[in-house]
Amino acid sequence: MEVIIKSDKLEAGKLGAKIIARLIRDKAKAVLGLATGSTPLALYKELVRMHREESLSFKNVTTFNLDEYVGLDPSHPCSFYSEMHKNLFSQLDLAKGASHLPDGMAQDLPASCAAYEAAIKVAGGIDLQLLGIGHDGHLAFNEPGSSLASRTRLKTLSQKTIKANSRFFGSEDKVPRHVVTMGLGTIMEARQCVLLAFGRDKAEAVRDMIEGPVSASCPGSVLQFHEKTIVLLDPEAAGKLKRKQYYLDVYAGKPAWQLWD
Ligand code: GLP
């Protein structure tokens, strides 16, 4: 894992956007894996700015989102479908039908999950998967205890996640209990992962993910086995890392050809 600590979340978001822009400019038909939550919002803003001001085009890009709530109509303001449309898709030149989310309204969920996995394969696999991390170390909606080899499937949210996500719904009882999420095995097949984490309240999960043992108890720790993962942090989220100074030294000493600026 490459750990980069930026001065704040805006700077980290900008760097994440540069990494994505480089991929889109280098690869004719890039496939992006996208995430929801508050963490990637600064990065999405920067992508929209690059699209408007630096002619970064998404017309050949395909996207797959990590997860969706079960039983929430896509038109519901808290569905991940709505969130993605508001914060990103409606502001880019993506082709019609190029953006995919798991279907939380499917009658046959196992078949729909298998179809989602198949669609990722048909698209050529995910080139870059964007990720956040939950306070309990979850990736997408793979709660602690998830199989490190899991695929897209139905999951039950933990009380901790229901509580954390109730800020979007207004109250805990309005948060759906079930979700459809890409599995950890699905995420691990992405050619590159970029994980963002900000704020003091993520510091423990970040420490366990980067420096703890690889364990289903911290699903994010599976990324220690990923060949190409970049973790972008602010100083607060990096606050509990034992090797913090080392990560700062590595980034400060990078040769120019390894930078994105
Ligand atoms: C949600 C999402 C994750 C996200 C996490 C953190 O449960 N399913 O993909 O990374 O919560 O959310 P936030 O970025 O708002 O802290």
Side-chain angles (χ1 to χ4, degrees), residues 17-57:
K18 273 186 191 156
I19 296 170
I20 291 176
R22 169 85 59 96
L23 168 73
I24 293 173
R25 290 195 162 114
D26 284 356
K27 187 165 177 178
K29 292 186 171 181
V31 180
L32 294 181
L34 299 175
T36 44
S38 47
T39 303
L41 292 179
L43 185 153
Y44 290 158
K45 248 193 173 153
E46 179 64 5
L47 284 181
V48 170
R49 191 199 62 76
M50 288 169 138
H51 169 60
R52 290 191 181 141
E53 296 173 17
E54 296 171 12
S55 56
L56 179 68
S57 175

Side-chain angles (χ1 to χ4, degrees), residues 24 33 40 61 70 73 80 85 104 109 113 125 135-136 146 155 159 163 185 197 215 242 244 247 252 256 258:
I24 293 173
V61 172
V70 167
D73 194 85
F80 287 163
H85 273 265
L109 279 171
C113 292
H135 297 99
D136 55 4
S146 293
K155 283 291 287 181
Q159 274 309 319
K163 192 161 190 250
S215 159
K242 253 194 330 226
K244 184 173 172 186
Y247 308 132
Q258 278 191 346

Side-chain angles (χ1 to χ4, degrees), residues 36-39 66-67 80 132-134 138 140-141 161 165 167-168 202:
T36 44
S38 47
T39 303
L66 287 168
D67 44 15
F80 287 163
I133 188 163
H138 72 244
F141 272 135
T161 303
N165 288 8
R167 69 192 194 277
F168 301 112
K202 294 286 174 77

Side-chain angles (χ1 to χ4, degrees), residues 15 57 91 116 120 161 223 235 240 245:
L15 180 52
S57 175
Q91 302 182 61
Y116 200 66
I120 294 173
T161 303
L223 293 172
K240 295 203 165 158
Q245 192 52 49

Side-chain angles (χ1 to χ4, degrees), residues 154-169:
L154 176 71
K155 283 291 287 181
T156 304
L157 293 183
S158 68
Q159 274 309 319
K160 209 169 177 179
T161 303
I162 291 170
K163 192 161 190 250
N165 288 8
S166 65
R167 69 192 194 277
F168 301 112
F169 287 84

Side-chain angles (χ1 to χ4, degrees), residues 27-235:
K27 187 165 177 178
K29 292 186 171 181
V31 180
L32 294 181
L34 299 175
T36 44
S38 47
T39 303
L41 292 179
L43 185 153
Y44 290 158
K45 248 193 173 153
E46 179 64 5
L47 284 181
V48 170
R49 191 199 62 76
M50 288 169 138
H51 169 60
R52 290 191 181 141
E53 296 173 17
E54 296 171 12
S55 56
L56 179 68
S57 175
F58 289 75
K59 67 175 192 295
N60 294 318
V61 172
T62 304
T63 70
F64 289 91
N65 261 78
L66 287 168
D67 44 15
E68 181 57 285
Y69 292 106
V70 167
L72 213 59
D73 194 85
S75 64
H76 190 288
C78 295
S79 75
F80 287 163
Y81 177 92
S82 290
E83 223 185 279
M84 289 308 299
H85 273 265
K86 182 176 76 189
N87 296 323
L88 195 67
F89 299 156
S90 62
Q91 302 182 61
L92 301 176
D93 60 342
L94 284 153
K96 207 165 179 265
S99 302
H100 308 266
L101 281 96
D103 181 1
M105 297 295 281
Q107 289 297 314
D108 184 344
L109 279 171
S112 169
C113 292
Y116 200 66
E117 291 273 340
I120 294 173
K121 285 217 164 70
V122 168
I126 291 173
D127 291 307
L128 186 151
Q129 178 65 58
L130 194 62
L131 295 162
I133 188 163
H135 297 99
D136 55 4
H138 72 244
L139 292 189
F141 272 135
N142 293 282
E143 298 284 25
S146 293
S147 156
L148 301 183
S150 50
R151 312 301 306 189
T152 303
R153 69 210 183 292
L154 176 71
K155 283 291 287 181
T156 304
L157 293 183
S158 68
Q159 274 309 319
K160 209 169 177 179
T161 303
I162 291 170
K163 192 161 190 250
N165 288 8
S166 65
R167 69 192 194 277
F168 301 112
F169 287 84
S171 73
E172 281 183 36
D173 55 307
K174 291 202 178 111
V175 182
R177 270 35 188 174
H178 293 103
V179 292
V180 181
T181 180
M182 274 189 209
L184 295 170
T186 322
I187 292 168
M188 287 294 283
E189 279 173 10
R191 291 178 193 99
Q192 178 174 14
C193 291
V194 174
L195 185 144
L196 310 176
F198 308 128
R200 202 175 301 276
D201 58 325
K202 294 286 174 77
E204 270 181 30
V206 164
R207 178 201 58 202
D208 294 350
M209 169 181 76
I210 298 172
E211 296 179 342
V214 174
S215 159
S217 294
C218 177
S221 66
V222 72
L223 293 172
Q224 291 179 36
F225 279 124
H226 194 277
E227 198 186 348
K228 209 175 168 200
T229 287
I230 297 176
V231 181
L232 298 175
L233 305 172
D234 65 2

